[in-house]
Amino acid sequence: MDGTKAAMESNAEENQEEGQESKGCFECCIKCLGGVPYASLVATILCFSGVALFCGCSHVALTGTLTMLESHFSRDLAHHATLALAIQIFQYIIYGIASFFFVYAIMLLAEGFYTTSAIKKELQSDFKTTACGRCITAFFMFLTYILALAFLAIFGATAIPVFLFFNMWTTCSAMKSPLANVTSPDTICVDVRQYGIISWNAVPGKACGATLGEICNTSEFYLSYHLYIVAFAGAGATLIALIHYLMILGANWAYLKSAAPTHDYQDIKTKDDQDVEAEARAKDGHNTSSSYS
């Protein structure tokens, strides 16, 4: 009986320890999940996705556009040398944009972890924000604002090739449509020279009728058109992510700024309460000594 009782007590203790361990793991998981800046995490995922779509699709679409121009609109390199150089430079800029935003989004996510942790510790009165932390948040907020304006311009510039390719696509669709009743399709032309992307001396410079239809059926045109649309959407997603970051940083900075005077007030109040309590204890001790005497 004694052995059975001891075994039962041992099993009960082991079950209790396992329950405490599982409870400790659960509380630890809840604590870790509570420190995750979900708003910054969503903005980071959106930023990564938008930059990847914009940079990857723009790079391939620009290469396809240059190939299409050289094959059908400007066979002499001298007539589109400026455009070719601009495309090459912008492709290098795309590499820089991708690398910069990869690092910058991680830095903003780390700042979100820092601020969330600081806020939680402030609520527990275990931590006080510093002027350096508030300055870092303000600096990120300013830089994100500048980047948002820059990507707003990029977002608008990305709409230009989408518009040009859409015009070509609608023109080709109009020629193929039986409802259009086109008697002389050779009179329907797309002149790329009027957009200023190639020289007026470029030969042939424009495509009409069947030639235009063949261009619209090429893989370069089809792929570049749809990639420009995806790149446009990626630029928009990146712009939304930067605005999201800006809202998060603004809220964090406002909280950290308002928390500083609040903690100063609490420190002064705590010190005054301690002084009053010390005076009360000294007075009680003096009264007690007087009564004994």
Side-chain angles (χ1 to χ4, degrees):
M1 292 290 292
D2 293 339
T4 305
K5 185 176 181 181
M8 292 177 62
E9 290 177 354
S10 177
N11 292 333
E13 290 177 357
E14 290 179 358
N15 293 333
Q16 186 177 3
E17 290 178 357
E18 291 178 356
Q20 290 178 353
E21 288 182 1
S22 61
K23 185 177 180 181
C25 292
F26 178 76
E27 290 178 352
C28 182
C29 291
I30 294 298
K31 185 177 180 180
C32 291
L33 291 175
V36 175
Y38 292 102
S40 297
L41 186 61
V42 171
T44 302
I45 294 173
L46 186 61
C47 183
F48 280 160
S49 302
V51 170
L53 289 175
F54 170 75
C55 293
C57 295
S58 295
H59 189 279
V60 179
L62 288 171
T63 303
T65 301
L66 185 60
T67 302
M68 187 179 66
L69 286 174
E70 291 176 346
S71 301
H72 303 285
F73 293 99
S74 178
R75 298 186 177 91
D76 189 357
L77 179 60
H79 293 154
H80 61 273
T82 304
L83 177 63
L85 180 61
I87 288 177
Q88 186 178 7
I89 293 174
F90 190 72
Q91 286 178 334
Y92 282 113
I93 293 175
I94 286 174
Y95 298 144
I97 291 174
S99 303
F100 172 79
F101 272 93
F102 177 78
V103 176
Y104 189 67
I106 292 177
M107 292 174 63
L108 289 179
L109 182 61
E111 196 275 341
F113 273 101
Y114 159 76
T115 307
T116 303
S117 176
I119 291 173
K120 289 180 69 66
K121 288 182 179 180
E122 277 196 13
L123 293 175
Q124 299 170 0
S125 299
D126 295 333
F127 184 80
K128 294 181 181 179
T129 59
T130 61
C132 180
R134 294 192 294 273
C135 289
I136 291 174
T137 302
F139 171 75
F140 278 127
M141 185 167 58
F142 172 76
L143 185 56
T144 304
Y145 178 75
I146 299 299
L147 291 174
L149 291 179
F151 240 91
L152 180 62
I154 293 175
F155 179 68
T158 311
I160 296 175
V162 175
F163 173 73
L164 299 180
F165 274 79
F166 177 75
N167 282 342
M168 289 185 63
W169 180 76
T170 51
T171 304
C172 293
S173 299
M175 288 194 307
K176 296 177 183 178
S177 176
L179 301 177
N181 193 19
V182 179
T183 57
S184 55
D186 291 336
T187 58
I188 300 177
C189 301
V190 171
D191 193 345
V192 180
R193 295 172 297 184
Q194 65 181 341
Y195 299 118
I197 58 178
I198 60 175
S199 173
W200 276 104
N201 299 323
V203 179
K206 63 179 181 179
C208 304
T211 305
L212 179 60
E214 291 176 0
I215 294 174
C216 292
N217 291 330
T218 58
S219 59
E220 290 86 2
F221 175 83
Y222 183 82
L223 182 62
S224 298
Y225 176 43
H226 289 86
L227 286 178
Y228 277 128
I229 294 175
V230 177
F232 179 72
T238 306
L239 180 61
I240 293 173
L242 289 173
I243 295 174
H244 196 177
Y245 274 131
L246 196 60
M247 295 169 61
I248 295 167
L249 292 169
N252 290 342
W253 183 79
Y255 182 87
L256 294 175
K257 183 181 179 181
S258 62
T262 301
H263 272 285
D264 292 340
Y265 170 75
Q266 290 177 351
D267 291 340
I268 294 173
K269 185 178 179 181
T270 302
K271 186 177 180 181
D272 291 341
D273 292 341
Q274 290 175 351
D275 293 341
V276 171
E277 186 177 355
E279 290 178 0
R281 288 180 180 178
K283 188 174 182 181
D284 291 340
H286 179 71
N287 293 335
T288 302
S289 61
S290 299
S291 62
Y292 277 114
S293 60

